[in-house]
Amino acid sequence: MGANTSQVSDLSESQSIRTLIGPDAISENEPFWNQLISFTFTSPTCSADAKLLEEAVVPLAKTLIQNNPRSGNFGALVRVFLSRTKELKISTECQDQLFIWQAHNALFLVRCLLKVFIREMNEEELHLQFSYQERAPGTYDSICEDLLEELVCNLVHLIVEVPLLDITYNILFEAVTTLLVLLSYQLFHKEVLKEGLIYNYLTRGRCLSLTSRLVKTLLYNFIRQEKCPAATHVLQTQSDGGGLLYGLASGVASGLWSVFTLGGVGSRPGAEQDQNPLPLSNQSLLLLLVLANLTDGLDCPNPYRQAVTCFKNTQDSSSIPSPQPHTFQINFNSLYTALCEQQKSDQVTLLLYTLLHQNSNMRTYILSRTDMENLVLPILEILYHVEERNSHHVYMALIILLILTEDDTFNRSIHEVVSIHSSQHLKMLCGSNSLSLSFSLSLFALLSKKHNKVLEQATQSLRGPLGADDTAVLPDYAQDLNVIEEVIRMMLEIINSCLSNSLHHNPNLLYALLYKRELFEQFRSHPSFQDIMQNLDTVIGFFSQRLEQAGSDLSVERVQEVIKKGAAALPKERLKKFPELKFKYVEEEQPEDFFIPYVWSLVFNSGVGLHWNSQGIELFSMDSP
């Protein structure tokens, strides 16, 4: 790097990088820094390339860790970046692309080094890396500022104050990503962190006043769904060795935005880039979820959660001041549209859950929409393709539907919505506090498979291999089975309620039950399900007989006609009575034990341009979603 178009393989050979990580101190005023941060870099576009970058940076960063107490060069690099951020807004207004380019490059280097530092040391040791300075007398002021806090605050200022344009897209993306990296200490701790230096910087002091602006900006980054801009070209600048682009070779500036454009000049688009063309939107949402799920401090609540729970619609003309701190207004219609369009993403589904559960203003707005099918259908798609989704994503989709069906108005409005799926018409039908959806059978099928798999594993572990250690700790299969069977029981109760109380409204569910009747065979003799299975057997047997009487080779339309007529004729006295179902979602007492590992698993798996070695990750197991 530095005066070159660089590749990962060039890092260890770069003289500028060797000088940076070496034992000799470099004054902030030396032209070296212009040379160092005047580079183009073919950026990672997939996890394999990000891994190569990480592996190349690790030994360089470790060398810097050894030499930095003497040289203070890492702190000097941070100051070089900070000095450029002071005029970044003006540079944006003046379209000063070269200035923005160098500021971005400096931050990119800081972020790459920080990522290794955080893995290698605790926060106190990290703080020391920022405080080391060149020992020559008079070089720095005697007052030692908190450079780490200065960096955190400048990143927040950068995100909220610099407008999102083509020329600022990449530095804004890098600022968001660097904050994620700074917060990534959580990955290396099994327990949920409740305090820390980075935590305090973001939730107290200078950053606290920017809470609402940061949350609002991250939300708008998600809403705007801006794609990464194409490579931008800048005019060459003549240099005699001391100019802005010190030592920049002819032609290098043409790759300006290949520094980290996630698919810029000279790079091959990877699969991840094709799947996620919205790096800033994705990264902003991940940072928002991380911030919103920080635990409350010992003496103050999480301000980012407060901001998420109380923001209002820009159309809300109410003059009543909000008693909540960190409140702001945002366009609910734009947010609703983005939520509807992006539900294939785990993190967007989690955002929807967060807003429905915690922000009463947004929940009221969503429930008042007359186009609820635009939101509900993508949620149902998650359940319909349940085997392609991770269990957490499915769980959040189910909870969202449960929260929605707690509202009677929603149940009435969605009752007769018609959608089109594989050229067939299906009805979304929701009973009071229940889901009468054929999509639920896909989930039931998955639960059945998991139930069988756990049973098989339990049986194999009981047999055990010859010579196995009898004292070895075995997984708690009984607990796993109990959890799965509780969910299966709940699903059966929901299906039974739909058939017993609103069968005439649920022909598609009944059609699916008849088509998938083999799913229930294994539960007929199970003691936990025998009572409720009697009702399902009665209904399935009744309609099977009527279909046999109607003849063979029946069309789908004819089957549905038989079902509709049979619904009125089914003798309800044959069905066993069960208490009316009333489901209400309530979070656990310590929801952070679920949500914090979940959010960080999303960062680990979905963070654009980020790669972590799985060794050393303590927060969740590698088979987590």
Side-chain angles (χ1 to χ4, degrees):
M1 291 185 180
N4 283 289
T5 301
S6 303
Q7 298 177 355
V8 170
S9 59
D10 298 332
L11 288 179
S12 61
E13 304 299 324
S14 167
Q15 185 57 48
S16 296
I17 294 294
R18 286 179 175 273
T19 302
L20 172 68
I21 67 176
D24 297 328
I26 309 167
S27 170
E28 296 170 38
N29 299 318
E30 290 190 23
F32 164 82
W33 296 106
N34 277 334
Q35 180 183 11
L36 176 70
I37 61 177
S38 297
F39 63 85
T40 58
F41 186 74
T42 303
S43 60
T45 57
C46 65
S47 59
D49 291 341
K51 181 181 179 183
L52 288 176
L53 175 62
E54 177 84 354
E55 291 172 347
V57 170
V58 167
L60 302 174
K62 288 184 177 180
T63 300
L64 180 59
I65 291 172
Q66 294 175 352
N67 292 325
N68 193 48
R70 186 175 7 164
S71 71
N73 284 343
F74 179 71
L77 172 62
V78 173
R79 290 188 183 90
V80 168
F81 165 69
L82 294 177
S83 68
R84 282 158 171 75
T85 61
K86 294 175 182 177
E87 299 179 20
L88 204 56
K89 193 172 183 180
I90 296 175
S91 300
T92 302
E93 294 171 354
C94 298
Q95 296 286 302
D96 189 344
Q97 300 180 24
L98 291 176
F99 193 92
I100 299 170
W101 172 44
Q102 286 197 318
H104 171 274
N105 287 0
L107 181 55
F108 175 66
L109 289 174
V110 169
R111 190 259 289 180
C112 288
L113 293 169
L114 274 176
K115 193 163 175 293
V116 181
F117 286 7
I118 287 171
R119 191 181 187 101
E120 296 293 320
M121 60 188 74
N122 59 38
E123 279 191 313
E124 289 72 22
E125 294 168 331
L126 176 70
H127 195 246
L128 285 176
Q129 294 294 330
F130 282 83
S131 62
Y132 294 135
Q133 298 184 2
E134 183 185 1
R135 298 309 177 194
T139 304
Y140 299 107
D141 295 335
S142 58
I143 299 176
C144 184
E145 82 276 35
D146 189 337
L147 194 59
L148 176 54
E149 181 179 19
E150 191 70 22
L151 174 63
V152 172
C153 291
N154 267 267
L155 291 173
V156 174
H157 273 280
L158 194 161
I159 293 169
V160 302
E161 292 181 356
V162 175
L164 175 54
L165 306 170
D166 278 359
I167 61 172
T168 61
Y169 187 101
N170 296 297
I171 194 168
L172 288 171
F173 170 84
E174 197 59 50
V176 171
T177 303
T178 305
L179 282 178
L180 273 177
V181 168
L182 284 166
L183 287 160
S184 67
Y185 270 110
Q186 180 64 80
L187 281 172
F188 308 104
H189 292 78
K190 192 171 186 64
E191 71 281 1
V192 171
L193 299 180
K194 299 181 182 297
E195 286 289 328
L197 283 175
I198 311 299
Y199 178 97
N200 290 336
Y201 293 149
L202 287 168
T203 59
R204 296 177 174 86
R206 294 162 55 191
C207 287
L208 184 61
S209 62
L210 297 173
T211 295
S212 59
R213 291 181 64 190
L214 180 57
V215 171
K216 183 176 183 178
T217 301
L218 294 175
L219 273 173
Y220 267 126
N221 287 349
F222 162 68
I223 289 171
R224 290 178 64 174
Q225 303 285 305
E226 292 285 348
K227 293 185 178 181
C228 192
T232 305
H233 299 273
V234 296
L235 295 175
Q236 296 282 4
T237 302
Q238 295 294 327
S239 174
D240 59 2
L244 181 62
L245 293 181
Y246 176 80
L248 189 61
S250 176
V252 172
S254 64
L256 172 65
W257 291 117
S258 67
V259 179
F260 207 60
T261 54
L262 299 118
V265 176
S267 65
R268 293 184 303 167
E272 289 185 7
Q273 182 190 9
D274 295 336
Q275 295 170 3
N276 190 349
L278 309 168
L280 180 60
S281 174
N282 177 79
Q283 221 84 326
S284 295
L285 179 52
L286 289 173
L287 177 58
L288 176 63
L289 292 172
V290 167
L291 292 172
N293 284 281
L294 292 174
T295 58
D296 291 334
L298 297 177
D299 55 357
C300 66
N302 175 4
Y304 299 97
R305 182 183 295 121
Q306 288 181 315
V308 167
T309 61
C310 67
F311 66 79
K312 296 181 178 181
N313 193 355
T314 51
Q315 304 301 315
D316 184 359
S317 58
S318 172
S319 60
I320 302 176
S322 173
Q324 297 291 338
H326 314 300
T327 189
F328 61 92
Q329 289 186 310
I330 200 167
N331 189 304
F332 277 16
N333 181 61
S334 299
L335 179 55
Y336 178 81
T337 301
L339 289 169
C340 292
E341 293 175 348
Q342 301 293 322
Q343 282 304 313
K344 289 184 179 180
S345 159
D346 277 72
Q347 44 265 41
V348 179
T349 302
L350 180 55
L351 175 63
L352 174 58
Y353 159 80
T354 302
L355 297 178
L356 278 173
H357 180 60
Q358 298 184 10
N359 190 310
S360 59
N361 301 319
M362 190 66 191
R363 180 171 63 251
T364 299
Y365 175 84
I366 290 175
L367 290 169
S368 69
R369 296 283 301 204
T370 58
D371 59 348
M372 280 294 295
E373 68 274 13
N374 291 337
L375 184 67
V376 175
L377 279 171
I379 298 297
L380 295 178
E381 280 291 313
I382 297 170
L383 301 182
Y384 187 75
H385 299 289
V386 65
E387 295 189 13
E388 302 172 13
R389 308 292 181 185
N390 69 67
S391 57
H392 283 23
H393 198 185
V394 173
Y395 175 73
M396 297 315 304
L398 280 172
I399 297 304
I400 287 169
L401 290 176
L402 179 58
I403 292 173
L404 291 173
T405 56
E406 290 175 3
D407 183 79
D408 290 336
T409 303
F410 168 82
N411 293 328
R412 288 192 297 269
S413 64
I414 205 69
H415 194 75
E416 291 296 333
V417 175
V418 177
S419 65
I420 299 178
H421 183 77
S422 302
S423 301
Q424 295 181 4
H425 291 273
L426 296 176
K427 289 188 178 181
M428 296 192 311
L429 304 162
C430 296
S432 177
N433 276 328
S434 66
L435 303 178
S436 55
L437 299 162
S438 60
F439 297 110
S440 62
L441 294 186
S442 296
L443 177 60
F444 191 85
L446 181 65
L447 289 169
S448 301
K449 288 182 180 179
K450 288 194 173 185
H451 185 269
N452 292 340
K453 183 177 181 180
V454 174
L455 276 177
E456 181 182 351
Q457 291 172 336
T459 302
Q460 290 178 349
S461 66
L462 288 174
R463 292 172 182 167
L466 292 176
D469 183 2
D470 292 338
T471 63
V473 178
L474 296 174
D476 192 350
Y477 293 112
Q479 184 179 16
D480 291 344
L481 278 174
N482 184 57
V483 171
I484 294 173
E485 288 176 1
E486 282 185 1
V487 179
I488 290 175
R489 173 77 189 190
M490 181 184 72
M491 295 294 296
L492 289 173
E493 287 178 343
I494 291 174
I495 293 172
N496 176 69
S497 178
C498 295
L499 298 178
S500 301
N501 301 318
S502 54
L503 181 59
H504 59 291
H505 288 310
N506 291 283
N508 289 292
L509 174 62
L510 188 51
Y511 181 89
L513 283 175
L514 292 168
Y515 184 68
K516 297 281 189 178
R517 69 185 76 180
E518 71 280 357
L519 286 177
F520 305 96
E521 292 290 339
Q522 68 189 86
F523 302 116
R524 228 172 233 107
S525 58
H526 196 292
S528 298
F529 312 126
Q530 279 182 330
D531 58 341
I532 204 163
M533 281 302 302
Q534 292 177 6
N535 277 6
L536 267 67
D537 282 341
T538 298
V539 174
I540 290 174
F542 175 81
F543 282 95
S544 295
Q545 184 179 17
R546 292 183 74 92
L547 289 172
E548 289 176 4
Q549 294 172 352
S552 59
D553 298 328
L554 300 178
S555 66
V556 173
E557 291 75 15
R558 176 57 178 150
V559 170
Q560 291 179 333
E561 182 183 345
V562 172
I563 289 174
K564 288 180 180 179
K565 290 182 178 179
L570 176 70
K572 295 292 182 66
E573 63 275 6
R574 293 188 191 176
L575 302 180
K576 182 179 179 179
K577 300 293 184 182
F578 286 85
E580 183 181 359
L581 289 181
K582 288 290 183 181
F583 294 111
K584 183 174 181 61
Y585 174 69
V586 179
E587 272 191 349
E588 298 288 343
E589 290 186 5
Q590 294 181 302
E592 63 271 14
D593 291 342
F594 170 82
F595 286 103
I596 290 180
Y598 180 31
V599 168
W600 277 106
S601 73
L602 296 179
V603 177
F604 182 88
N605 290 306
S606 307
V608 180
L610 290 172
H611 169 80
W612 279 277
N613 189 323
S614 59
Q615 293 182 351
I617 301 296
E618 296 286 342
L619 184 61
F620 49 81
S621 60
M622 287 301 103
D623 58 355
S624 296

